[in-house]
Amino acid sequence: MVTRTALTGIAGLTSLALVGQSGAITPLEWGPGPLTVSALPRVVYTAHRGGAREVPENSMTGLMTAYERGTAQVLDLDTRILRDGTMVVMHDATLNRTTYMGGPVHALDRRDWQGVRLRPKDTLPGSWRSERPPTLAEVLDRFGGRVVLMLEAKDPRSLRAIAAMLRERGLTRSVLVNSNHPAVALRSHRLGLLSQLWRSAHQMRTDRPARWRPFVDVLDVDHKARDRDLVRAVRSGIPRVWAHTVVTPAQRDRALALGCDGIITDAPGRLARVRVRPWGRRQGQHGQGQGQRGAMP
């Protein structure tokens, strides 16, 4: 396992390679323009919160580790807004679970944020040191254009700020903005962003996803949903349907066999490089070629 100490050096060298005289990021691998969602492969793997079973979630070191390992084409993170408008990377509304501090995230300002330190889980493989959780600007400037990002806007009121940050960096086609609310997905679309909508297994029982086709770019479905609900999502006409949050090969195989073309996982290192097995008789129930579509590209 690469520790944070080693990765700090990697990250620093990467930053030096990317930042030109103007201070703007130049994605070396992809020429003068950023990598966009349209360039993703047929089957996509997303490192959920960076791969929360393998790295400290929503940390810069975790995201860098997922990126360097190359086991996911998309890096996922969560965003919240501080009281002074600063956008930060954090899943929970409070600091209690993932840091050494407590209290609501929105009560802090940028100066306060400098003192926050993440608390890596003891169950993670390897050795991880505590670090400050990044701001959204730091993540965009480190990874923007080099890899597709997927951010969940935990505070819908932050959408305009997110849109401004993405436009300023030329990343509106490289970052998916995720929410559980169709109305927020519609607002994202109207702001010129790529919209992603996630739905729980319970919600999917009554959802009619074809209604969202005009404004949703990625439908993010619960792998625990019934077969019929997953198939309805796949047949909705929404361009991409990705299953969350997958942690076992069997869960992955079922989602891909039913027609999903993306896997959102806490364990990308475990799942992304394993060839998909046929999903038994369920393949035949949903048409020819489902298993073929689910195979690793």
Side-chain angles (χ1 to χ4, degrees), residues 125-174:
S127 176
W128 303 92
R129 294 184 181 180
S130 181
E131 63 184 282
R132 176 178 58 79
T135 64
L136 177 58
E138 289 169 336
V139 170
L140 294 178
D141 289 342
R142 176 66 60 83
F143 298 104
R146 305 190 78 213
V147 64
V148 171
L149 297 172
M150 182 175 92
L151 64 88
E152 182 172 353
K154 291 293 188 180
D155 300 295
R157 62 194 175 97
S158 67
L159 277 181
R160 288 193 177 277
I162 291 171
M165 295 174 76
L166 298 183
R167 290 192 199 105
E168 180 183 5
R169 292 165 173 81
L171 297 175
T172 57
R173 300 293 94 185
S174 303

Side-chain angles (χ1 to χ4, degrees), residues 24-64:
I25 292 293
T26 301
L28 300 179
E29 295 90 337
W30 306 103
L35 178 66
T36 65
V37 169
S38 62
L40 289 173
R42 179 171 50 85
V43 176
V44 177
Y45 285 84
T46 298
H48 182 242
R49 304 183 200 172
R53 292 198 177 197
E54 299 174 348
V55 302
E57 69 172 70
N58 280 317
S59 68
M60 185 67 88
T61 295
L63 292 169
M64 178 59 76

Side-chain angles (χ1 to χ4, degrees), residues 17-279:
L18 288 175
V19 179
Q21 293 181 350
S22 66
I25 292 293
T26 301
L28 300 179
E29 295 90 337
W30 306 103
L35 178 66
T36 65
V37 169
S38 62
L40 289 173
R42 179 171 50 85
V43 176
V44 177
Y45 285 84
T46 298
H48 182 242
R49 304 183 200 172
R53 292 198 177 197
E54 299 174 348
V55 302
E57 69 172 70
N58 280 317
S59 68
M60 185 67 88
T61 295
L63 292 169
M64 178 59 76
T65 301
Y67 174 76
E68 292 290 340
R69 288 174 177 170
T71 51
Q73 295 85 25
V74 179
L75 301 182
D76 166 70
L77 57 140
D78 302 279
T79 66
R80 290 194 176 273
I81 189 168
L82 303 184
R83 71 169 186 247
D84 62 357
T86 301
M87 298 296 305
V88 297
V89 178
M90 178 67 59
H91 178 274
D92 296 1
T94 69
L95 299 165
N96 302 55
R97 181 178 65 88
T98 58
T99 81
Y100 290 101
M101 297 175 65
V105 173
H106 68 74
L108 305 182
D109 61 20
R110 187 180 182 88
R111 178 175 293 183
D112 298 328
W113 196 251
Q114 299 304 311
V116 178
R117 292 295 180 271
L118 293 169
R119 185 176 67 239
K121 291 181 180 178
D122 294 336
T123 55
L124 289 174
S127 176
W128 303 92
R129 294 184 181 180
S130 181
E131 63 184 282
R132 176 178 58 79
T135 64
L136 177 58
E138 289 169 336
V139 170
L140 294 178
D141 289 342
R142 176 66 60 83
F143 298 104
R146 305 190 78 213
V147 64
V148 171
L149 297 172
M150 182 175 92
L151 64 88
E152 182 172 353
K154 291 293 188 180
D155 300 295
R157 62 194 175 97
S158 67
L159 277 181
R160 288 193 177 277
I162 291 171
M165 295 174 76
L166 298 183
R167 290 192 199 105
E168 180 183 5
R169 292 165 173 81
L171 297 175
T172 57
R173 300 293 94 185
S174 303
V175 178
L176 291 156
V177 178
N178 198 2
S179 172
N180 180 238
H181 307 289
V184 176
L186 178 58
R187 285 179 56 202
S188 297
H189 174 76
R190 288 175 174 171
L191 286 168
L193 307 178
L194 292 172
S195 68
Q196 180 165 343
L197 179 65
W198 73 265
R199 305 297 283 171
S200 69
H202 177 73
Q203 290 170 323
M204 290 174 64
R205 285 178 173 264
T206 55
D207 280 347
R208 293 296 178 264
R211 296 179 299 178
W212 305 322
R213 183 171 54 191
F215 59 88
V216 170
D217 297 285
V218 175
L219 183 59
D220 179 347
V221 294
D222 190 342
H223 79 86
K224 297 176 184 177
R226 301 175 300 181
D227 284 12
R228 72 186 77 169
D229 298 332
L230 286 170
V231 171
R232 183 165 62 247
V234 166
R235 294 176 177 173
S236 66
I238 294 173
R240 297 178 184 270
V241 180
W242 298 351
H244 76 265
T245 301
V246 176
V247 294
T248 70
Q251 293 168 356
R252 176 205 60 204
D253 292 357
R254 172 177 174 262
L256 294 178
L258 291 175
C260 295
D261 52 14
I263 297 296
I264 301 169
T265 176
D266 284 335
R270 180 185 182 193
L271 298 187
R273 289 181 172 171
V274 180
R275 184 168 295 278
V276 175
R277 300 186 301 273
W279 187 249

